[in-house]
């Protein structure tokens, strides 16, 4: 005789089995809102869930802009959305694990106007149209065909970059007439400026740089006193393809200039990875003015859950440029060079509690080393003073008077090579 409790458990098991047969169980549920750049909901927008290039499910948004997508299997997905008179948009890839719920709010851009979502002005992702501050976003395409970020930043209104000498010469940024040490420069949230606020943009290669936000105006509320004139926030490249992707590009030119760059990236389940390496070499057109920059960049991210991501980013740059001194005046180049070794590291734990609450725990490290080397005495040796002089030059003043003479290039009594830093 079957015990009543056993019959009860058997009936409960049959009920669960029947529900499972009639109601599909979804491993991943993706929901969110589709809005325009002003925050208004967009109805009847087409939203699709894509996994490994395959559309898993496609729906249209409701009257309030809401949508819900689902997948029977876990994987790495991205959401593709578009609407009438709106540009098609693809979100960053994300990992959806078993029985997880992921929230992805989407802001569509008009077809005739390029809008972006920025974070520098407010500290949280906000459509550019809702930000009153003067801010420009540079994407990956803006950094293509450039060896460093200098030329891309020149296109930003209100940005004035001054470069000393040829390629590799010290490059400073002045925002709207502010001093060059009044700018907060961030790389994945880690400050990269020297003590005192100066930044040499000549040694920031485009390798591993996915985008940048250029904020024009003081923003000391979020970034402290260093942001007296503006903020430049660089973001790293992330792996997005479901398979390892390898990209090589190289170019060369006159004065012994060549550049090689290798990039690899991809995703595997909850892991996304990217690594980049570049080597730039040139002799420039002046003696003792050769320049090289070797940059390595790595970005690793791991989804601990549908709303939690752990990310570690490391970047190292080794560069050296010649320091020919007052060559345009003395016509004799100084045999010297300046070397820089910069290392930046950041680790972050990002958790989204809800649509209104998001927590970020971040650790940043920056190590900067600089040396100046006088390799040898250069110039015309004067036995009387034991110093080395440049060529004879004539300087004519506005009043018509002129003077002819020589300036000292290297002093007597110095030990070469001489290293300081």
């Amino acid at each position: 005789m079957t015990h009543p409790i056993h019959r009860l458990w058997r009936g409960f098991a049959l009920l669960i089995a029947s529900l499972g047969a009639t109601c599909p169980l979804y491993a991943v549920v993706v929901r969110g809102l589709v809005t325009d750049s002003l925050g208004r909901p967009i109805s009847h927008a087409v939203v699709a869930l894509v996994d490994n290039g395959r559309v898993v499910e496609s729906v249209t948004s409701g009257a309030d802009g809401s949508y819900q997508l689902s997948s029977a299997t876990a994987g790495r997905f991205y959401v593709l959305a578009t609407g009438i008179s709106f540009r098609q948009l693809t979100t960053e890839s994300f990992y959806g694990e078993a029985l997880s719920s992921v929230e992805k709010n989407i802001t569509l851009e008009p077809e005739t106007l390029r809008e972006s979502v920025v974070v520098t002005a407010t500290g949280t992702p906000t459509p550019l149209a809702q930000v009153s501050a003067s801010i420009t976003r540079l994407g990956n395409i803006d950094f293509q065909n450039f060896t460093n970020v200098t030329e891309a930043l020149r296109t930003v209104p209100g940005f004035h970059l001054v470069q000393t000498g040829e390629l590799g010469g010290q490059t400073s940024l002045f925002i709207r007439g502010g001093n060059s040490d009044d700018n907060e420069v961030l790389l994945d949230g880690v400050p990269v400026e020297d003590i005192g606020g100066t930044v040499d943009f000549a040694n920031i290669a485009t390798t591993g740089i996915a985008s940048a936000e250029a904020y024009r105006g003081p923003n000391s509320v979020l970034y402290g006193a260093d942001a007296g004139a503006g903020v430049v926030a660089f973001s790293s490249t992330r792996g997005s393809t479901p398979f390892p992707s390898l990209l090589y590009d190289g170019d060369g030119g006159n004065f012994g200039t060549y550049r090689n760059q290798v990039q690899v990236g991809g995703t595997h389940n909850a892991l996304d990875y990217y690594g980049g390496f570049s080597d730039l070499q040139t002799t420039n057109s002046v003696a003792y003015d050769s320049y090289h920059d070797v940059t390595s960049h790595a970005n690793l991210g791991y989804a601990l859950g549908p709303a939690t991501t752990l990310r570690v980013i490391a970047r190292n740059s080794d560069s050296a440029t010649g320091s020919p001194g007052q060559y345009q005046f003395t016509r004799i180049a100084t045999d010297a060079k300046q070397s820089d070794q910069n290392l930046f590291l950041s680790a972050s734990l990002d958790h989204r509690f809800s649509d209104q609450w998001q927590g970020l725990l971040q650790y940043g490290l920056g190590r900067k080393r600089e040396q100046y080397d006088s390799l040898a005495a250069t110039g015309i040796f004067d036995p009387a003073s034991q110093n080395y002089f440049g060529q004879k030059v004539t300087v004519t003043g506005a009043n018509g008077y002129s003077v002819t003479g020589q300036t000292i290039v290297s002093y007597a009594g110095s030990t070469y090579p001489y290293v300081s830093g």
Side-chain angles (χ1 to χ4, degrees), residues 183-241:
N183 311 316
E184 179 75 8
V185 183
L186 305 172
L187 177 61
D188 297 307
V190 178
V192 301
E193 61 262 24
D194 296 335
I195 296 176
T198 59
V199 177
D200 186 3
F201 287 86
N203 297 325
I204 304 180
T206 55
T207 303
I209 301 297
S211 62
E213 293 181 14
Y215 180 96
R216 303 181 294 281
N219 201 0
S220 58
V221 173
L222 292 179
Y223 302 101
D226 290 337
V231 180
V232 181
F234 296 101
S235 298
S236 291
T237 304
R238 300 181 182 183
S240 58
T241 57

Side-chain angles (χ1 to χ4, degrees), residues 4-57:
I5 296 180
H6 292 168
R7 290 198 299 269
L8 180 62
W9 278 109
R10 183 180 301 172
F12 181 73
L14 291 175
L15 176 62
I16 295 297
S18 62
L19 290 176
T22 57
C23 301
L25 296 178
Y26 298 114
V28 182
V29 175
V30 182
R31 57 171 60 91
L33 295 174
V34 182
T35 60
D36 62 12
S37 56
L38 297 177
R40 296 172 298 193
I42 300 176
S43 60
H44 304 293
V46 180
V47 187
L49 184 65
V50 182
D51 177 19
N52 197 18
R54 178 179 60 89
V55 176
V56 178
E57 185 181 8

Side-chain angles (χ1 to χ4, degrees), residues 3 24 107 143 185 249 274-275 318 385:
H3 195 276
T107 302
F143 293 104
V185 183
D249 59 281
Y274 168 85
D318 292 322
S385 64

Side-chain angles (χ1 to χ4, degrees), residues 138-152:
L138 301 175
N140 180 263
I141 193 172
D142 297 303
F143 293 104
Q144 290 182 357
N145 302 322
F146 293 134
T147 59
N148 58 51
V149 301
T150 301
E151 296 303 322

Side-chain angles (χ1 to χ4, degrees), residues 44-386:
H44 304 293
V46 180
V47 187
L49 184 65
V50 182
D51 177 19
N52 197 18
R54 178 179 60 89
V55 176
V56 178
E57 185 181 8
S58 176
V59 298
T60 58
S61 60
D64 59 349
S66 63
Y67 74 92
Q68 179 171 312
L69 299 164
S70 56
S71 172
T73 59
R76 180 164 287 273
F77 307 92
Y78 63 86
V79 177
L80 184 67
T82 187
I84 299 176
S85 74
F86 287 96
R87 193 191 310 270
Q88 182 175 286
L89 181 141
T90 303
T91 66
E92 287 188 350
S93 64
F94 58 92
Y95 180 72
E97 59 184 0
L99 302 178
S100 63
S101 178
V102 181
E103 184 174 357
K104 285 291 179 181
N105 295 324
I106 300 172
T107 302
L108 292 181
E109 305 172 344
E111 286 182 342
T112 57
L113 182 64
R114 190 69 178 178
E115 294 285 354
S116 303
V117 175
V118 296
V119 299
T120 307
T122 60
T124 57
T126 307
L128 187 59
Q130 301 180 30
V131 178
S132 60
S134 298
I135 185 169
T136 299
R137 185 182 185 276
L138 301 175
N140 180 263
I141 193 172
D142 297 303
F143 293 104
Q144 290 182 357
N145 302 322
F146 293 134
T147 59
N148 58 51
V149 301
T150 301
E151 296 303 322
L153 292 178
R154 291 187 193 276
T155 64
V156 178
F159 273 35
H160 183 58
L161 288 102
V162 177
Q163 179 174 319
T164 303
E166 301 185 315
L167 186 63
Q170 183 174 353
T171 305
S172 302
L173 170 63
F174 301 85
I175 300 179
R176 289 183 169 178
N179 293 328
S180 61
D181 56 358
D182 285 341
N183 311 316
E184 179 75 8
V185 183
L186 305 172
L187 177 61
D188 297 307
V190 178
V192 301
E193 61 262 24
D194 296 335
I195 296 176
T198 59
V199 177
D200 186 3
F201 287 86
N203 297 325
I204 304 180
T206 55
T207 303
I209 301 297
S211 62
E213 293 181 14
Y215 180 96
R216 303 181 294 281
N219 201 0
S220 58
V221 173
L222 292 179
Y223 302 101
D226 290 337
V231 180
V232 181
F234 296 101
S235 298
S236 291
T237 304
R238 300 181 182 183
S240 58
T241 57
F243 50 85
S245 299
L246 178 64
L247 176 64
Y248 166 80
D249 59 281
D251 48 68
N254 54 0
F255 303 119
T257 303
Y258 67 88
R259 178 175 183 259
N260 294 301
Q261 179 175 257
V262 180
Q263 301 178 88
V264 62
T267 61
H268 179 69
N269 295 332
L271 175 69
D272 65 85
Y273 55 91
Y274 168 85
F277 173 83
S278 66
D279 181 10
L280 170 65
Q281 306 275 347
T282 181
T283 62
N284 285 319
S285 64
V286 178
Y288 304 126
D289 195 22
S290 60
Y291 170 70
H292 76 264
D293 183 11
V294 179
T295 298
S296 304
H297 191 106
N299 187 345
L300 300 175
Y302 189 83
L304 301 176
T308 307
T309 302
L310 176 64
R311 186 166 300 278
V312 177
I313 301 172
R315 183 181 181 90
N316 184 76
S317 173
D318 292 322
S319 63
T321 181
S323 182
Q326 301 176 7
Y327 174 78
Q328 296 294 335
F329 186 75
T330 65
R331 309 310 299 176
I332 292 180
T334 303
D335 188 5
K337 70 173 183 177
Q338 178 176 310
S339 305
D340 294 271
Q341 299 90 40
N342 301 326
L343 173 65
F344 304 102
L345 175 69
S346 68
S348 62
L349 181 64
D350 190 356
H351 180 75
R352 189 182 187 91
F353 295 96
S354 66
D355 188 29
Q356 290 79 26
W357 292 93
Q358 182 173 352
L360 176 64
L361 179 63
Q362 187 174 49
Y363 168 80
L365 179 147
R367 189 213 67 182
K368 307 190 73 174
R369 299 178 58 191
E370 180 178 309
Q371 303 90 34
Y372 179 83
D373 302 341
S374 295
L375 302 177
T378 52
I380 303 173
F381 181 71
D382 178 35
S385 64
Q386 299 293 309

